Amino acid sequence: MSNYDCREISAFSGVMVFCEQRDGVINQTSFELLSEGRKLADDLGTELWGLLLGGDVQSLARELGGYGADKVFVVEDPLLEPYTTDAYTKVICEVAYKKKPEILLIGATNLGRDLGPRIAARLHTGLTADATHLDIDTQKYLDFLAEASNLDLSKTEWDMEDRGLKMTRPAFGGHLMATIICPRFRPQMSTVRPGVLQCAAFDEAKAAAVQIESLDVPLTEDDIRAKVLEVVKETKEIVDLIGAEIIVSVGGGISRDVEGGIQLAEELAAALGGGVVGASRAVVDAGWLPSDRQVGQTGKTVRPRIYVALGISGAIQHKAGMQDSEYIIAVNLNPDAPIFETADYAIPGDLYKVVPMMIEALKEV
């Protein structure tokens, strides 16, 4: 660490992605981050690095190359299995001291949200938490603003040569989008929300070409203050909204018969071929469905083949989380509901009358 100075910006280069794995399976968010990191690295004219930690994970490194990594740094140690905050924080920081990445990305998973702030504090740099959009090229950032905001971009003088990372995230409960920069320190760090970035297709040629480098980072029992004595896995129903092909979401429009509305959504999801039920923030805030069902900027970003919105008005926070769905079907009593602007098929009507007809028609088909 003797030659590490977070203010010496010119000494830093490369885009590094911490690739999370559990029980020998790499988290899907890591592939999304590598795909986006590839774009950032190309804009900067630098390399993309994956960082893989665990007890026995060397065999997983090649897969990371298939999603864009030029090089994968692997640190193996029995003390890195299972996960502990102390061990992972120390190892990642030691690698950062040595490799000096210009950008360090971490998935905003439960594990990543635990790691991110600790690493940023030790590296003496800033952290943008829960980012939903990343840009290097200023023109690409302006194109994003033109599409995603109502700002008058002509009123601001933009530095088109700026090569800093622009990290955009929702604020104030999703009512505001804020772009954060870190101009004075390196690395530029962000935790990124799962599901918001498009995952590239796996490239076998890139996987075969990736360079894998094993790193030796000293780690002892004394470095780990919290000991994992036992891992108990809870068995409960898990709803995978991010990976679902079909999602039927309910909104505040089910208020007059909550149980009936949710039951109709479940029946429609089943009739469409094994879909899952999601929810708007209003439904989650009311306690009608758990938070893991929430779709939107403050929930999960989804890209299913079919997305059905029942009784959802279509606030911008919700639309941002589902607007990339292949087909969007919306049912709402209000013919002027904003959700209809995004929908491929708009049905102005009472969901309690429309959905039973949809279910019956699907059964006949």
Side-chain angles (χ1 to χ4, degrees):
M1 183 181 172
S2 58
N3 64 344
Y4 178 86
D5 186 346
C6 63
R7 299 164 297 181
E8 193 178 345
I9 292 176
S10 61
F12 291 76
S13 66
V15 177
M16 181 178 286
V17 173
F18 168 65
C19 299
E20 179 183 335
Q21 62 82 26
R22 291 288 185 97
D23 299 325
V25 178
I26 297 176
N27 190 300
Q28 175 66 24
T29 307
S30 300
F31 300 140
E32 297 168 5
L33 289 179
L34 286 170
S35 302
E36 186 68 16
R38 179 72 269 163
K39 300 175 187 176
L40 301 178
D42 289 344
D43 284 342
L44 287 169
T46 190
E47 288 187 331
L48 173 63
W49 306 327
L51 176 57
L52 186 60
L53 277 58
D56 181 15
V57 293
Q58 183 86 13
S59 61
L60 305 177
R62 182 178 173 276
E63 186 177 12
L64 302 178
Y67 292 95
D70 297 302
K71 186 179 293 184
V72 178
F73 300 121
V74 179
V75 182
E76 292 183 309
D77 192 302
L79 295 176
L80 294 173
E81 187 66 50
Y83 167 80
T84 59
T85 304
D86 292 329
Y88 272 61
T89 299
K90 177 181 179 180
V91 170
I92 294 173
C93 288
E94 291 293 337
V95 173
Y97 294 147
K98 182 178 181 180
K99 298 300 180 180
K100 296 181 182 177
E102 183 174 357
I103 293 172
L104 176 55
L105 302 178
I106 300 173
T109 60
N110 291 337
L111 187 151
R113 287 173 174 169
D114 178 46
L115 272 177
R118 297 170 186 267
I119 293 170
R122 290 198 189 183
L123 297 181
H124 303 291
T125 189
L127 173 71
T128 299
D130 221 25
T132 57
H133 188 84
L134 303 171
D135 277 304
I136 291 290
D137 184 82
T138 301
Q139 185 56 58
K140 291 179 181 178
Y141 174 61
L142 293 178
D143 293 342
F144 162 70
L145 289 181
E147 181 179 343
S149 76
N150 56 6
L151 295 174
D152 185 352
L153 303 180
S154 64
K155 291 185 177 180
T156 303
E157 185 175 340
W158 302 91
D159 180 3
M160 303 306 291
E161 302 302 318
D162 175 40
R163 310 303 286 169
L165 181 62
K166 296 103 179 146
M167 300 166 278
T168 304
R169 56 149 297 159
F172 295 100
H175 293 281
L176 179 71
M177 298 299 289
T179 297
I180 300 169
I181 59 175
C182 185
R184 296 187 295 130
F185 304 104
R186 294 293 183 269
Q188 300 164 98
M189 279 188 63
S190 180
T191 58
V192 182
R193 184 176 301 176
V196 300
L197 303 176
Q198 193 75 42
C199 185
F202 180 82
D203 189 321
E204 185 64 43
K206 290 182 180 178
V210 68
Q211 300 177 47
I212 301 173
E213 180 179 341
S214 294
L215 300 179
D216 182 21
V217 178
L219 191 64
T220 68
E221 292 277 1
D222 292 337
D223 295 317
I224 305 172
R225 290 165 293 181
K227 310 296 183 183
V228 178
L229 301 179
E230 182 183 9
V231 177
V232 179
K233 296 184 178 180
E234 181 182 4
T235 301
K236 68 175 185 178
E237 182 184 0
I238 301 295
V239 177
D240 181 15
L241 283 177
I242 294 176
E245 286 284 301
I246 299 169
I247 299 175
V248 178
S249 286
V250 291
I254 66 169
S255 59
R256 88 164 182 261
D257 181 5
V258 174
E259 290 186 7
I262 294 174
Q263 183 177 345
L264 282 176
E266 291 172 344
E267 292 176 6
L268 180 57
L272 284 167
V276 299
V277 175
S280 69
R281 178 171 180 171
V283 169
V284 171
D285 286 349
W288 300 336
L289 282 173
S291 59
D292 64 350
R293 304 289 187 112
Q294 185 177 332
V295 175
Q297 281 179 344
T298 50
K300 295 179 180 177
T301 300
V302 298
R303 294 183 177 89
R305 185 165 52 86
I306 299 174
Y307 187 88
V308 184
L310 304 179
I312 295 175
S313 63
I316 189 171
Q317 300 95 327
H318 186 83
K319 290 197 290 185
M322 44 66 74
Q323 61 190 0
D324 291 330
S325 304
E326 191 170 343
Y327 295 104
I328 299 172
I329 304 166
V331 181
N332 199 291
L333 267 175
N334 179 8
D336 298 318
I339 192 70
F340 289 151
E341 299 170 4
T342 307
D344 297 291
Y345 300 96
I347 306 174
D350 185 344
L351 71 90
Y352 291 97
K353 295 179 181 178
V354 173
V355 175
M357 290 189 287
M358 295 173 68
I359 294 170
E360 192 60 36
L362 286 166
K363 288 180 178 178
E364 292 178 3
V365 171

